[in-house]
Amino acid sequence: MEGYKEFRGWVYRIRKLGDDKIFIVLRNAHTIIQGVIRKGADRRLWEIGEKLYIESSILMGGKIRQDSRAPNGYEIDIEKLEPIHIGEPFPISRDQSEEFLLDNRHLWIRSQRLTKIFQARHYLIKYLEEYLHNNGFYRFDPPIITVSGAEGGADMFELEYFNRKAYLTQSSQMYGEAGIFGLERVYTLAPSFRAEKSRTRRHLAEYWHLEPEAAFVDWKENLKIQEGMIEYAVQKFLNNHPELVEYFQVKDMLKNIKAPFPILTYYQAVDLVNSLGGKMEYGQDFGADEEALISSKYDRPVFIVKYPKNIKAFYMKQDPDNPELVLNDDLIAPYGHGEIIGGSERIWDLEELKNRMKEVNLPEENYKWYLDLRRFGSVPHSGFGLGIERFVKFVLNLDHIRDAIPFPRTINRVYP
Ligand code: ATP
Ligand code: MG
């Protein structure tokens, strides 16, 4: 970086030192660079400099030189300064409440931290998809408007669809299952909607859901795909983006995210929770506190497998060794980030699926097309769902899931 350079961007900071100097720090998507207007410079430069606000858009040019005091180690002697839009005083300054920042999310997403999160999210999704492409999965796009839900009717957003009721999808899994009969390996990457009343740091009402589904894959191979995908995406991110890894201080955490991931059975996991001071009985599901206890023992994600069928979805295949259990897994991220994946082998036999639906009182009429998939050349198959924002929250070690998505939708927020 030598010689005359021009930059287009936004005023990140501006500081006037009496009549002596004006420092203008410009930011854009690639850099942050400090420029200086000195006493005795062209008066027009000085006049423009005095009018600028934080976040005014500008073009700034001049000779660039090293200066160890400047944010990037370089400084520009400003020779050219053109306002693109001076605008109005920017409403966001330091020390504003979380509520205020959320109300002004449309402006706050330009902050350094959120910009870096969304860069990281972009790369993480790219690497997850890259792994799937390298392993024979096709992207397969599902409908968002549906009439029946994978997890049943509770917690669904209802909408008026012409003259009938429809719902925003909770999961695209069943459509992925339909997709494997042509493509064998597919994944959907689409929003899922959950009208959950829970106010937690890891639930959104609308989130991006990555759901691979594969023919001729049993529950064990399903685990291999999950750990392979997580390892690949994390290691690529770690190796290719040192500046982001440094910003979020996650190097030590991420370097351990390597296969194989430990596997606990449901019963072992309950025992572990109780041995660490938790209180659980067999048959209960893990909550955030229990997951945090389990993950405290490991430096990488851990699988919990073979849950009691009563606490899991009806389409999960029963364990031939113990029909009270299902061939499923939850993947629990380390450092208290909790569940990031839920997966299972699916029931592929028609009678078995019908029986299971009867047991849990699901009406067959709502699932006619899903049952059809078991009538014409059915095959063993497995799949899983990863919440993109849960994954981003874990990889960047964020406190709250809402920062992993540009415009979070939660129980008390649909604006902006
Ligand atoms: P939890 O017990 O944490 O509510 P779940 O068992 O309801 O999760 P699944 O229905 O198995 O989750 O969904 C698959 C994945 O989708 C989860 O592992 C998680 O990564 C993600 N996920 C589920 N619900 C939400 C949500 N409300 N907001 C963000 N991500 C979610
Ligand atoms: Mg849930």
Side-chain angles (χ1 to χ4, degrees):
M1 282 223 284
E2 289 291 305
Y4 181 87
K5 285 260 160 45
E6 285 187 1
F7 294 86
R8 248 183 329 200
W10 292 265
V11 175
Y12 183 52
R13 274 188 229 126
I14 183 157
R15 189 159 49 101
K16 202 177 160 200
L17 287 187
D19 287 335
D20 210 31
K21 284 175 187 168
I22 301 178
F23 288 105
I24 299 171
V25 180
L26 172 149
R27 64 155 185 89
N28 59 29
H30 314 287
T31 194
I32 288 187
I33 183 103
Q34 174 167 294
V36 59
I37 305 170
R38 287 168 205 284
K39 191 175 183 164
D42 186 336
R43 258 205 48 207
R44 283 198 335 264
L45 289 181
W46 194 271
E47 278 167 15
I48 294 168
E50 284 193 312
K51 282 198 199 118
L52 295 177
Y53 294 120
I54 300 277
E55 292 304 315
S56 294
S57 47
I58 57 171
L59 187 148
M60 175 170 107
K63 270 200 212 72
I64 198 162
R65 58 182 161 67
Q66 280 189 311
D67 187 321
S68 57
R69 292 163 302 181
N72 248 355
Y74 289 94
E75 194 173 69
I76 297 184
D77 290 312
I78 297 176
E79 293 165 37
K80 182 170 174 183
L81 185 61
E82 291 176 2
I84 300 168
H85 182 228
I86 290 181
E88 302 174 25
F90 197 61
I92 301 177
S93 58
R94 261 173 227 279
D95 301 325
Q96 249 138 1
S97 73
E98 201 55 47
E99 266 322 283
F100 181 86
L101 293 176
L102 285 167
D103 286 340
N104 288 281
R105 188 74 170 183
H106 53 299
L107 303 176
W108 186 231
I109 52 169
R110 5 174 136 183
S111 67
Q112 284 298 294
R113 181 165 173 277
L114 289 179
T115 299
K116 286 190 165 39
I117 291 173
F118 302 138
Q119 284 171 342
R121 176 183 165 118
H122 164 84
Y123 292 121
L124 288 168
I125 292 174
K126 175 177 152 177
Y127 300 140
L128 291 167
E129 289 198 82
E130 204 169 271
Y131 176 85
L132 293 169
H133 299 165
N134 293 345
N135 286 277
F137 286 81
Y138 290 94
R139 177 167 173 149
F140 183 73
D141 293 323
I144 303 301
I145 301 172
T146 63
V147 288
S148 62
E151 316 285 338
D155 292 343
M156 297 194 80
F157 288 105
E158 194 178 300
L159 60 96
E160 209 178 290
Y161 188 74
F162 303 105
N163 285 323
R164 44 195 286 218
K165 266 189 211 167
Y167 302 89
L168 295 177
T169 189
Q170 275 190 313
S171 160
S172 302
Q173 175 199 315
M174 291 183 172
Y175 295 97
E177 285 185 69
I180 63 166
F181 291 88
L183 297 163
E184 291 198 21
R185 291 182 166 215
V186 301
Y187 68 93
T188 56
L189 177 52
S192 282
F193 301 86
R194 308 268 170 115
E196 323 202 61
K197 302 257 157 45
S198 43
R199 259 175 250 245
T200 72
R201 294 172 168 269
R202 54 198 192 138
H203 286 92
L204 294 164
E206 175 184 42
Y207 71 96
W208 285 78
H209 205 173
L210 175 64
E211 295 177 274
E213 192 72 34
F216 310 115
V217 165
D218 67 7
W219 74 281
K220 280 211 160 144
E221 194 181 343
N222 195 33
L223 301 189
K224 291 279 169 231
I225 297 171
Q226 293 166 51
E227 70 184 2
M229 184 182 81
I230 297 296
E231 174 185 56
Y232 181 91
V234 168
Q235 294 306 317
K236 271 251 160 158
F237 178 72
L238 179 61
N239 293 325
N240 293 354
H241 307 283
E243 70 299 339
L244 292 170
V245 169
E246 164 72 19
Y247 182 86
F248 292 101
Q249 304 261 298
V250 287
K251 187 170 175 186
D252 289 340
M253 172 174 110
L254 297 184
K255 66 177 199 284
N256 299 323
I257 311 303
K258 296 227 168 105
F261 299 160
I263 301 175
L264 299 176
T265 65
Y266 167 83
Y267 292 109
Q268 289 170 331
V270 172
D271 291 346
L272 178 60
V273 167
N274 287 331
S275 76
L276 294 170
K279 259 205 161 79
M280 266 187 92
E281 275 164 38
Y282 292 143
Q284 291 180 326
D285 204 352
F286 307 96
D289 295 342
E290 290 76 31
E291 287 174 1
L293 284 175
I294 294 165
S295 70
S296 70
K297 281 285 163 202
Y298 300 93
D299 62 357
R300 64 198 68 201
V302 46
F303 285 114
I304 306 176
V305 302
K306 296 194 178 182
Y307 283 57
K309 68 177 181 190
N310 302 336
I311 55 173
K312 284 292 169 186
F314 71 93
Y315 50 71
M316 295 185 176
K317 190 168 169 55
Q318 280 158 259
D319 181 0
D321 299 334
N322 180 351
E324 288 309 304
L325 306 180
V326 284
L327 299 177
N328 80 308
D329 68 274
D330 278 2
L331 185 65
I332 311 300
Y335 303 94
H337 289 287
E339 179 192 323
I340 54 173
I341 288 181
S344 76
E345 186 167 336
R346 320 302 190 190
I347 296 176
W348 62 285
D349 178 76
L350 181 63
E351 288 312 312
E352 201 179 324
L353 187 57
K354 281 185 172 174
N355 287 339
R356 197 62 194 110
M357 288 174 68
K358 251 189 227 116
E359 267 176 41
V360 297
N361 290 319
L362 278 182
E364 271 181 36
E365 350 30 299
N366 287 2
Y367 293 88
K368 252 182 110 258
W369 72 263
Y370 187 64
L371 288 166
D372 266 355
L373 302 179
R374 277 79 182 158
R375 284 180 212 276
F376 312 102
S378 189
V379 290
H381 62 284
S382 301
F384 61 92
L386 168 79
I388 294 291
E389 293 76 17
R390 294 259 180 110
F391 182 57
V392 171
K393 175 179 183 286
F394 148 57
V395 172
L396 304 181
N397 198 22
L398 305 179
D399 283 342
H400 203 295
I401 195 169
R402 67 179 164 229
D403 281 346
I405 188 165
F407 295 97
R409 297 293 180 244
T410 54
I411 184 164
N412 43 18
R413 185 164 292 279
V414 278
Y415 173 94

